[in-house]
Amino acid sequence: MRARRKQTFANSLRVVTPLLIMAGCLFALTRQADLPHFHDLLGLLTQVPAPHWIGALGATVLSFWALGRYDAVAHRHLRSGIDDRTARRAGMAAIAFSQAVGFGLFSGSFARWRLLPQLNPLLSAQLTGFVGITFMTALAVICGIFLVLVGPSWGMRLVGGGILFAAIAAVGLCFLHPEWRIRGLRLRFPSVQAILALALWTMMDVTFAGVALWLLLPVGHGIGLDVLLTAYFLALGLAIISSSPGGAGPLELAMLTLLPGADPATLVAGLLAFRAVYYALPAMLAGAVLLWPRLLRHGKAMPDPWETGDLGCDLRPAASQPFVRPQAETAVLLQNGGHVMAFGLNQVALLDSPQLSAVLFDPISGRQDEIPAALRAHALSRNAAACFYKCSARTALAARQEGWKILRVAQDAILAPETFTVEGSKHRQLRRKLRHAEKAGLQVEPAWGTLPLTQMAQVDAAWTRQHGGARGTTMGQFEPGYVAIQMTCLAWLEDRLVGFMTFHRAADEWCLDLVRQLPGAPDGTAHALICTAVEAARDAGVRRLSLASVPDHRFSARFDGGLRQFKSCFAPTWEARYMAAPSWAQMGLAIAEMTRLVHRPARPEAAMAQIDMLQDPIPDDTVENAVAAKRTA
């Protein structure tokens, strides 16, 4: 009973406090300024030219247009399943209603729930809370920008600079740590692309609202647009925090305080007209929509996240990759949390991360020219960037024809097992390395049976300590179930395992994945392992063996680490690999995100899974150890 009384008191306080704030501010306003009678204020409004009223109406429309797109970003972040058009309309109506009646969290949540019956009350409240918090954050950053540009003193400019510095640090934190878990609560920050979109729509909203207010000031007010906008942004923040109906009281009092040189009567008259145009008129339209929600013309919950074409989609587990596929390297999806996505009949290896939706390598099947538009729409539905990563020239050309930007980033080293030989001048260094390994007594063999997983784990641990950790996402990490479904070559020194290599397998290609050897292993160990794998591929009738890629860009020399020199010993055929993204901005974000994922991978969690992608006979005990990742990148 006591707890119920406390809850009732708390709820009453939430309702009464905004009203008390409004009453207190209005009282302070009457004491601070010598305001004329209401009839005189209306007389001042006749001085506003008709084109200014029309311009203010246009600015109001543009402001709410931006607010609608703000809500669409929020729906995509919370994955509500509401199509963008419906989300925009409902968002405009909900904000028009809530800003007029006040009590933003309650009125906004009610309006969204009323207009979007697909949403439950909890999700409606989450949407309203997300919109409110992010809007206030973006508004603070905008205030910081204007304080830096037009601040009246160096102190105010330093405050603005501090706000901007904190905002940049917060964006960096969202990028590096996109998810936090606090006492079992999962907190997922917006993506960088969502943050930029929210900032843009907020800037457009408050700027057009400020322009509408400026246009509605009586003639001869003498207030510059830049000064008024700065004051309006600060006053708007205070009005939103107060939660008073329409921000009445706090908005007027803050504007008069921040613009001490302005005529109070002129300013209050303009605010009165502004409330009629920007608050009352949209509120009446929103009220009609709330009474008759059919006016909104609900869109259905979208079955597809894209609206381009009639491809359809199908999300499939990573293990559903067919054994007959162009690139064996797509098997890395088994460990990085990716999945197979079918855009119609086109299957791709897709990795969804907090910032990015990336198609890894070439499509598994289908037509390259149909994939860019579907991928771009899929990424948009997640507020993420889109890209192809390490695709071939053919896929890059298909993307370029759709207007995407292209960068050459790597080269794959390809061997043909049928014709490979260590003879000839090109393999002089390779032969020398093989002689060193043979002289040291190294024995290398392909492992077709049970793997020495305990010794392999010891080699991996020693290698990891020496190199400061293993990379991931597009590179494999040692895990017993993962390597059990790969082709493995082992290097022994007497009865001691000193190194091993694993290869992804497909019907017509093997691709190098893990390279591990003990510190102090005989010179030429890695060379001998690759030569053994080439012989095994020849015996298995495999026509291509990829030694994976090396960097190939203007900064590649800094990141190569001797990798190209090592692979050049085998005189491979070099095939260019590209990145493609819809814009240079998304390209930059994709590069940053892939760098983060590679250098800070999530350790895969083992789980039993049925692997259908391997159709060649392999021992039963290795199939039972198949691995899949539980969490996304």
Side-chain angles (χ1 to χ4, degrees):
M1 189 67 175
R2 189 174 180 180
R4 183 178 299 177
R5 289 178 180 174
K6 287 184 177 180
Q7 185 64 36
T8 302
F9 176 76
N11 291 336
S12 301
L13 194 62
R14 292 191 186 100
V15 174
V16 172
T17 299
L19 298 177
L20 293 176
I21 293 174
M22 179 181 69
C25 290
L26 291 175
F27 177 76
L29 181 64
T30 58
R31 297 294 299 271
Q32 177 178 329
D34 184 17
L35 299 178
H37 293 292
F38 183 73
H39 182 270
D40 296 328
L41 290 176
L42 293 180
L44 286 173
L45 293 182
T46 60
Q47 300 178 18
V48 180
H52 284 204
W53 287 95
I54 297 174
L57 285 172
T60 298
V61 170
L62 291 174
S63 176
F64 277 88
W65 176 85
L67 286 173
R69 273 139 186 83
Y70 196 106
D71 246 55
V73 175
H75 276 269
R76 293 197 294 266
H77 175 74
L78 293 176
R79 300 169 186 172
S80 67
I82 304 297
D83 66 277
D84 278 5
R85 179 177 296 179
T86 302
R88 291 194 297 266
R89 293 176 177 177
M92 288 187 286
I95 293 171
F97 175 75
S98 64
Q99 75 174 9
V101 303
F103 313 101
L105 180 60
F106 301 102
S107 58
S109 300
F110 165 75
R112 289 180 174 86
W113 174 71
R114 168 71 173 163
L115 296 173
L116 301 171
Q118 307 97 314
L119 304 180
N120 57 52
L122 177 59
L123 185 53
S124 298
Q126 288 176 335
L127 279 165
T128 304
F130 177 86
V131 169
I133 293 172
T134 56
F135 184 87
M136 286 300 297
T137 303
L139 182 59
V141 175
I142 293 170
C143 290
I145 294 173
F146 272 76
L147 286 175
V148 170
L149 296 177
V150 297
S153 65
W154 281 107
M156 297 299 291
R157 293 184 179 184
L158 287 176
V159 170
I163 293 174
L164 295 183
F165 178 81
I168 294 172
V171 172
L173 184 65
C174 290
F175 176 78
L176 295 175
H177 302 281
E179 289 187 2
W180 282 17
R181 295 182 184 272
I182 305 175
R183 295 184 178 181
L185 178 65
R186 180 186 176 192
L187 182 62
R188 184 167 56 89
F189 290 114
S191 66
V192 172
Q193 187 152 306
I195 291 173
L196 295 177
L198 294 173
L200 172 64
W201 301 133
T202 302
M203 174 66 84
M204 291 183 63
D205 163 45
V206 296
T207 300
F208 283 122
V211 169
L213 172 58
W214 185 73
L215 288 172
L216 292 172
L217 292 174
V219 174
H221 54 79
I223 303 174
L225 179 60
D226 57 343
V227 176
L228 183 132
L229 287 178
T230 304
Y232 174 71
F233 296 158
L234 294 171
L236 178 62
L238 295 174
I240 294 175
I241 293 174
S242 72
S243 291
S244 63
L251 180 65
E252 286 79 2
L253 182 61
M255 290 293 293
L256 284 174
T257 303
L258 293 168
L259 297 172
D263 177 39
T266 299
L267 189 56
V268 172
L271 286 168
L272 185 64
F274 177 68
R275 289 197 175 280
V277 172
Y278 194 83
Y279 284 83
L281 183 58
M284 288 189 293
L285 296 175
V289 173
L290 286 170
L291 289 174
W292 297 284
R294 290 183 179 275
L295 295 175
L296 193 66
R297 296 182 180 178
H298 290 307
K300 60 182 180 180
M302 54 182 179
D304 307 324
W306 38 82
E307 301 176 358
T308 54
D310 301 317
L311 294 179
C313 68
D314 185 19
L315 183 67
R316 302 171 184 174
S320 67
Q321 299 174 62
F323 188 62
V324 179
R325 61 185 191 277
Q327 287 184 262
E329 198 171 1
T330 57
V332 77
L333 290 181
L334 292 168
Q335 211 180 46
N336 63 17
H339 45 265
V340 175
M341 178 68 81
F343 297 115
L345 299 178
N346 311 302
Q347 295 187 76
V348 296
L350 186 66
L351 178 65
D352 283 330
S353 79
Q355 312 292 341
L356 184 64
S357 288
V359 169
L360 302 182
F361 320 118
D362 276 354
I364 295 173
S365 63
R367 297 177 53 181
Q368 284 94 337
D369 59 337
E370 293 181 346
I371 297 173
L375 173 61
R376 186 175 187 175
H378 170 73
L380 177 63
S381 74
R382 304 179 58 251
N383 290 328
C387 86
F388 289 90
Y389 182 72
K390 287 173 60 177
C391 64
S392 67
R394 183 178 178 184
T395 301
L397 179 60
R400 172 172 284 175
Q401 290 174 346
E402 295 295 321
W404 288 39
K405 310 304 179 184
I406 308 298
L407 274 182
R408 178 169 168 169
V409 294
Q411 284 185 313
D412 267 9
I414 305 298
L415 301 178
E418 290 181 349
T419 59
F420 180 79
T421 176
V422 298
E423 303 301 327
S425 59
K426 293 182 180 179
H427 299 104
R428 185 184 305 109
Q429 185 178 2
L430 174 60
R431 291 194 299 270
R432 184 170 64 252
K433 293 290 185 179
L434 294 177
R435 286 195 299 268
H436 290 171
E438 183 179 4
K439 186 177 180 179
L442 190 72
Q443 299 293 324
V444 183
E445 62 181 5
W448 297 108
T450 303
L451 296 173
L453 294 174
T454 300
Q455 296 186 63
M456 292 172 68
Q458 294 172 351
V459 172
D460 175 75
W463 182 91
T464 301
R465 286 193 299 269
Q466 182 187 28
H467 292 83
R471 297 177 182 177
T473 305
T474 58
M475 308 177 196
Q477 298 180 70
F478 179 81
E479 197 283 327
Y482 178 70
V483 301
I485 60 173
Q486 295 182 313
M487 189 275 164
T488 304
C489 291
L490 307 172
W492 300 89
L493 203 57
E494 296 181 352
D495 60 349
R496 182 190 182 199
L497 185 69
V498 296
F500 66 88
M501 284 186 180
T502 69
F503 294 79
H504 297 300
R505 298 196 301 153
D508 205 33
E509 183 186 69
W510 289 357
C511 180
L512 178 63
D513 187 22
L514 299 181
V515 179
R516 300 290 187 268
Q517 64 183 46
L518 291 175
D523 185 30
T525 298
H527 301 78
L529 283 166
I530 288 180
C531 287
T532 300
V534 172
E535 294 175 5
R538 182 189 299 121
D539 294 340
V542 175
R543 292 192 299 175
R544 283 170 53 98
L545 189 143
S546 172
L547 300 182
S549 62
V550 298
D552 185 34
H553 48 77
R554 65 177 63 185
F555 305 110
S556 57
R558 299 182 181 181
F559 303 98
D560 192 293
L563 197 59
R564 180 181 289 272
Q565 182 180 359
F566 165 71
K567 295 180 180 182
S568 295
C569 291
F570 301 90
T573 300
W574 296 99
E575 295 183 358
R577 294 291 179 260
Y578 300 85
M579 281 188 69
S583 65
W584 288 119
Q586 292 197 39
M587 179 73 78
L589 182 57
I591 292 173
E593 177 71 347
M594 291 304 301
T595 302
R596 182 186 74 86
L597 293 174
V598 168
H599 290 272
R600 301 182 60 183
R603 184 68 181 176
E605 300 177 6
M608 302 302 292
Q610 182 63 41
I611 301 298
D612 298 324
M613 58 183 287
L614 297 178
Q615 298 179 356
D616 280 5
I618 56 177
D620 292 338
D621 59 343
T622 61
V623 174
E624 292 174 356
N625 289 325
V627 66
K630 284 184 179 178
R631 56 190 177 192
T632 58

